[in-house]
Amino acid sequence: MDGFIQSIERYDSSNLLTALPSAFLEPLLSFTLMEDPEIRLLVLSILTSLIDRRHNAPRLAATAAR
């Protein structure tokens, strides 16, 4: 799973429709309904990595921690 997350972090897409096709997104989102918080956090990390094309997540995390 760590390798999957690392490859997602390096993925650069100019179009969110190609980065997040429904065939990929729907099964991924189904994991957010699980009771295990670690799995939900992992899915959130994957989605954030895919959506954050300008690598602003560290700045948002620093702001949220204040």
Side-chain angles (χ1 to χ4, degrees):
M1 194 55 96
D2 290 333
F4 180 66
I5 292 174
Q6 289 175 357
S7 64
I8 286 173
E9 289 174 348
R10 293 186 189 117
Y11 181 76
D12 184 26
S13 174
S14 59
N15 185 346
L16 283 179
L17 292 176
T18 58
L20 303 171
S22 63
F24 172 76
L25 189 58
E26 288 176 16
L28 186 63
L29 288 175
S30 70
F31 284 110
T32 62
L33 301 174
M34 298 184 83
E35 291 185 26
D36 188 350
E38 290 182 17
I39 292 175
R40 292 194 315 260
L41 188 58
L42 179 63
V43 171
L44 180 60
S45 174
I46 291 168
L47 289 171
T48 302
S49 296
L50 287 170
I51 293 170
D52 185 21
R53 294 179 290 169
R54 293 196 173 90
H55 308 291
N56 289 315
R59 289 185 226 159
L60 293 173
T63 303
R66 291 183 194 175

